[in-house]
Amino acid sequence: MCTYARILVSARAALAVAAALALSAAFAAAARGGEYHVYSCRTPAGQPAPTDGWSEGVHSGEDVTLNTCGEASGGLIAGMDAHVAHQADTDKATWEFSAPASELVSQATLWRAGETVSLANPETAYMFWMAGVADTGSSTEVFDECGSKKCQRKGDFSTPFSSENRVVVPGNALGSRYLYLNVSCGSLVSSCASSEAGSTGYAAAIELFAADLVLSDTESPVVSAVSGDLAEAPTVSGHSDLAFQASDGGSGIYEVIFKVDGEVVSSVIPEEKGGHCRDVGGTSDGLPAFLYTQPCPAAVNVDLPFDTTALANGTHHLLVSVTDAAGNDKPVVDREVTISNSATPAGGAGETSNGGETSRGGTGSGGSSSGSGVGVLGPAVGGSSGVGAAASTVALNGAGASTQATLTAVWRGHKGERLTGSYGAARTVEGRLASPGGAPIVGAQLAVEELPASAGARSHELSAPRTGTDGRWRIALPRSITSSELRFSYSARLGDALPVATRTLTLSVRAGVSLRIAPRIARSGGSIHFSGRLLGAPIPRGGKQVVLEARSPGGRWLEFHVIRGRAGRGGRFGFDYRFRLPGPARYEFRVLCEAEADYPFAVGTSNVVRVYER
């Protein structure tokens, strides 16, 4: 065994002892349950994030563990003082991630950089390394290491999300609660000598800039004390009440979901826990993402009204369930219920008709000399004075314009305010604009504003739709649109600075990537050429990293090379690969394009190309 390998084995053994002690009391079998992302130090979009779950290990007085995640390019730092000698396999500085007791780390991607200095004695080495614990709970698995004359640096300290910094934790280091960042002295003798400091100011340093951790939670919520008409009465009407208590010892109580006849009609987050229990997005696998390891409250008392008037009279199947942050659910109510609501007259007491519009009586602020109903604007007329005169000189926005208009905006064919889809797909938003009484506002012009989801992006306006005779409107979005926040707004008078009604929808667009490989049949030892292009724009000035992945048909995708799609070449990239293992074998290749702060697309993958090695 070479000298460095023996040094590393010694250092691994020291950590293995500590890990075994922790696991003996806390390890649980890696049963896979619901899952959710936790971002540490930075989100994938580059925004600052807490470091919940990370703790500083014991280190000697001269060495350091620092949390600089709040700084522009900072992270979690473990460093060894260059100016003192260090005891072999004893002196080290460590950051440890520990998931909550009932949860396991099932996936992890880390962005780190590290550096060590070279020592004159070949029997000694300062080193940095990252480790997890095998899902059997029996051994420590090192998955990233550096420390000898052959390896003194990995990654880029100045660019947190550099492709050089990205490390995907392999499966053999997952399935427990723990991950470790370490710097240490490894030696076959007694100690590592003092030395000149490296560029980081330390003899060895590792800095974690961001972590995207997926935690697995196998526990479902517990529900008790269910009461209310919605749970007990055979026939309900109007706003019916539902009350219950819920608890969850893992990720916490997240959402209450109402389904009628198999369709989701309502969802409520009963307690956001000061904003902790809020999905911050940025994922492409359909899982929620949070900034805390136990984001949602462990117990809640829920008392919710449910509006039955939106449902047709008759018998319906009602399913109300509560979920935790990982998506594990528990039914609260699962029953047949009869809806019985009486018809509501078109015009109630205190209502008058105003040019075909229904408006509630009272003192109005419109331009009509006789005074219109609250929030309903009368026709523009001249000859008045004061505030009314100023208002009357501005054209009303639509027949029946109202300062209390109701605006709806939905994704056509989809439920919810957030839509995720592929690049280049057709997408339509539609809605309705109505007065307080429900009558349509006809011929009104809406404003549509798009804010791309990339750092420093500025909003811009899209083509503005008009409402039809029924108050409905529709807009087809450009197929080249990026991940964006879309804001739809209505102003009662044309030219008003502030709208009276707004709606916001969120669009997450998966990055579009094309891939070609030639030849498709290659001999053993032969080469193939990858070429492709990022389909969406804008591309960051420095290019956009893409990850080449391969697998045997039906196997797990494995990363084998990282390259960049260049901005100046329209996002094009290329790479040559030579087969090193003997054939025959069949392979599948694809390109993975991950989220970055200055690239307004979610994670996306290319088409899959099959290659045969003879």
Side-chain angles (χ1 to χ4, degrees):
M1 183 182 294
C2 69
T3 299
Y4 175 62
R6 286 186 290 157
I7 292 172
L8 184 59
V9 167
S10 177
R12 288 179 179 178
L15 181 62
V17 171
L21 291 174
L23 288 168
S24 63
F27 185 80
R32 196 175 184 92
E35 294 180 325
Y36 61 101
H37 290 254
V38 175
Y39 300 144
S40 295
C41 198
R42 281 177 183 77
T43 71
Q47 300 301 315
T51 53
D52 189 44
W54 293 91
S55 60
E56 306 169 57
V58 177
H59 56 77
S60 62
E62 296 82 7
D63 303 323
V64 298
T65 49
L66 301 174
N67 185 344
T68 64
C69 287
E71 300 177 9
S73 297
L76 295 179
I77 300 171
M80 303 202 78
D81 193 320
H83 303 108
V84 298
H86 289 86
Q87 290 296 113
D89 305 327
T90 300
D91 290 347
K92 57 182 178 288
T94 298
W95 279 99
E96 174 188 313
F97 176 79
S98 177
S102 61
E103 300 174 20
L104 305 173
V105 182
S106 59
Q107 299 176 55
T109 302
L110 311 176
W111 285 264
R112 63 85 188 98
E115 182 188 62
T116 68
V117 298
S118 179
L119 296 176
N121 186 347
E123 297 291 303
T124 62
Y126 285 112
M127 59 183 66
F128 68 83
W129 43 301
M130 298 196 295
V133 180
D135 59 11
T136 62
S138 60
S139 64
T140 300
E141 297 290 340
V142 174
F143 56 84
D144 186 56
E145 59 197 26
C146 184
S148 73
K149 293 180 180 178
K150 294 182 179 179
C151 178
Q152 292 181 280
R153 188 182 182 97
K154 284 186 177 182
D156 181 351
F157 283 94
S158 64
T159 309
F161 284 106
S162 166
S163 60
E164 303 172 55
N165 294 348
R166 180 178 176 272
V167 178
V168 177
V169 180
N172 65 347
L174 296 169
S176 80
R177 296 172 54 201
Y178 304 102
L179 291 172
Y180 303 93
L181 311 176
N182 309 277
V183 289
S184 66
C185 162
S187 177
L188 299 180
V189 290
S190 61
S191 65
C192 295
S194 60
S195 66
E196 294 294 325
S199 64
T200 61
Y202 301 102
I206 185 169
E207 186 166 6
L208 180 76
F209 299 106
D212 181 354
L213 310 172
V214 177
L215 302 187
S216 175
D217 175 7
T218 60
E219 294 186 6
S220 294
V222 175
V223 174
S224 61
V226 181
S227 63
D229 287 347
L230 209 61
E232 301 166 341
T235 301
V236 296
S237 61
H239 286 75
S240 293
D241 184 66
L242 175 66
F244 62 92
Q245 296 174 0
S247 62
D248 184 82
S251 53
I253 299 298
Y254 176 48
E255 192 173 29
V256 181
I257 299 174
F258 292 79
K259 286 186 178 181
V260 176
D261 300 329
E263 296 290 330
V264 176
V265 297
S266 176
S267 63
V268 179
I269 299 175
E271 172 57 58
E272 285 197 344
K273 196 179 174 182
H276 291 198
C277 186
R278 184 180 300 162
D279 182 0
V280 298
T283 68
S284 62
D285 52 13
L287 298 177
F290 303 95
L291 303 181
Y292 297 88
T293 57
Q294 288 182 301
C296 298
V300 293
N301 292 315
V302 179
D303 191 347
L304 294 172
F306 180 72
D307 185 3
T308 69
T309 62
L311 303 175
N313 286 339
T315 301
H316 298 272
H317 180 251
L318 173 67
L319 174 62
V320 182
S321 57
V322 60
T323 72
D324 62 19
N328 301 306
D329 66 331
K330 184 73 171 182
V332 179
V333 171
D334 188 355
R335 64 187 290 252
E336 301 294 317
V337 63
T338 299
I339 307 295
S340 179
N341 288 299
S342 59
T344 302
E351 294 188 349
T352 59
S353 178
N354 177 17
E357 290 291 318
T358 301
S359 58
R360 302 191 180 278
T363 303
S365 57
S368 171
S369 58
S370 60
S372 65
V374 173
V376 179
L377 300 175
V381 295
S384 300
S385 61
V387 175
S392 68
T393 61
V394 181
L396 301 182
N397 190 5
S402 171
T403 59
Q404 293 187 340
T406 300
L407 175 66
T408 63
V410 297
W411 296 107
R412 187 180 186 187
H414 299 272
K415 294 183 180 295
E417 296 179 349
R418 180 183 293 273
L419 175 66
T420 300
S422 302
Y423 176 78
R427 299 176 181 86
T428 300
V429 180
E430 57 190 10
R432 187 172 186 267
L433 183 67
S435 67
I441 299 176
V442 180
Q445 179 176 308
L446 305 182
V448 184
E449 190 176 34
E450 175 198 357
L451 177 60
S454 59
R458 295 184 178 183
S459 62
H460 58 272
E461 293 187 356
L462 300 179
S463 59
R466 284 187 177 274
T467 59
T469 56
D470 56 359
R472 298 191 179 277
W473 58 272
R474 179 180 298 174
I475 179 174
L477 300 177
R479 289 180 180 263
S480 59
I481 194 170
T482 68
S483 296
S484 304
E485 185 177 87
L486 299 165
R487 183 173 183 262
F488 304 86
S489 59
Y490 166 73
S491 298
R493 295 182 176 90
L494 295 174
D496 278 1
L498 297 176
V500 298
T502 62
R503 293 288 293 175
T504 300
L505 299 178
T506 302
L507 175 62
S508 180
V509 179
R510 290 188 285 269
V513 193
S514 66
L515 174 64
R516 296 180 61 187
I517 300 178
R520 302 280 290 276
I521 299 176
R523 61 179 175 81
S524 179
S527 296
I528 55 176
H529 179 70
F530 293 77
S531 61
R533 185 168 69 89
L534 295 168
L535 303 179
I539 296 170
R541 182 175 299 177
K544 171 68 180 76
Q545 78 170 30
V546 295
V547 179
L548 302 184
E549 296 185 320
R551 70 177 182 182
S552 299
R556 190 164 66 92
W557 288 106
L558 299 173
E559 172 187 331
F560 68 93
H561 193 68
V562 177
I563 54 179
R564 281 191 174 270
R566 297 298 175 184
R569 301 178 60 237
R572 289 178 173 82
F573 56 85
F575 176 70
D576 291 315
Y577 177 76
R578 181 181 297 278
F579 287 104
R580 292 175 173 82
L581 298 177
R586 298 183 184 275
Y587 298 97
E588 293 180 338
F589 296 95
R590 74 176 185 181
V591 175
L592 171 68
C593 182
E594 295 187 307
E596 292 183 19
D598 54 354
Y599 186 61
F601 293 96
V603 178
T605 56
S606 73
N607 53 300
V608 175
V609 180
R610 295 174 175 82
V611 175
Y612 177 65
E613 180 194 8
R614 294 181 298 183

